[in-house]
Amino acid sequence: MTDAERCAEEIRDLHRVFEKTLGAPGADDNGRYEAAFAPGFAMVMPNGTRLDRAQVLDFLRQARGVRGPGFRIAIEDVGVLHAAPPLMLMHYIERQWLPGGIETARRAAALFRIEPTGPHWLFVQETWVTPPPA
């Protein structure tokens, strides 16, 4: 498997965990998140808010089940923006379906460091493609 394929698989796998965590109140995947996000990880949310690793982990701990049953995520258009081993810059579109028929989409760029144990997330920047209704 190539580094790009490993990163694409990690993007899809982690978003399946997000879907489970945000959709089901009992889902607890904090260990998975802590293993995925490298020390120094940061993310910029679609609204421009910047979160460091601790803030993202805290958000995920508090957000269990917040989207409710029926919440779904799909990852599309995964590709490589730039490869400079051991770093890989990927892009993808994340679609979310919320209860009540609301669909949103965001385009993301994610920077990974490839390690023997797999890709580790260093940074994510998200931009609305289809924002949620006000």
Side-chain angles (χ1 to χ4, degrees), residues 19 22-23 67-76 93-106:
E19 181 180 74
L22 298 174
R67 298 289 190 208
F71 174 66
R72 293 184 305 126
I73 296 176
I75 300 300
E76 305 169 351
I93 292 177
E94 175 186 341
R95 293 195 184 281
Q96 295 186 1
W97 289 270
L98 305 158
I102 298 168
E103 179 183 346
T104 65
R106 57 191 82 191

Side-chain angles (χ1 to χ4, degrees), residues 85-130:
L87 301 177
M88 181 77 64
L89 182 60
M90 304 289 291
H91 70 85
Y92 57 92
I93 292 177
E94 175 186 341
R95 293 195 184 281
Q96 295 186 1
W97 289 270
L98 305 158
I102 298 168
E103 179 183 346
T104 65
R106 57 191 82 191
R107 182 174 300 279
L111 181 63
F112 292 90
R113 183 178 57 242
I114 309 300
E115 299 181 5
T117 57
H120 286 95
W121 298 73
L122 297 176
F123 181 77
V124 174
Q125 168 105 32
E126 297 182 332
T127 304
W128 287 121
V129 174
T130 308

Side-chain angles (χ1 to χ4, degrees), residues 27-40:
D28 182 356
D29 291 296
N30 292 330
R32 173 65 169 97
Y33 299 133
E34 289 172 6
F37 302 140

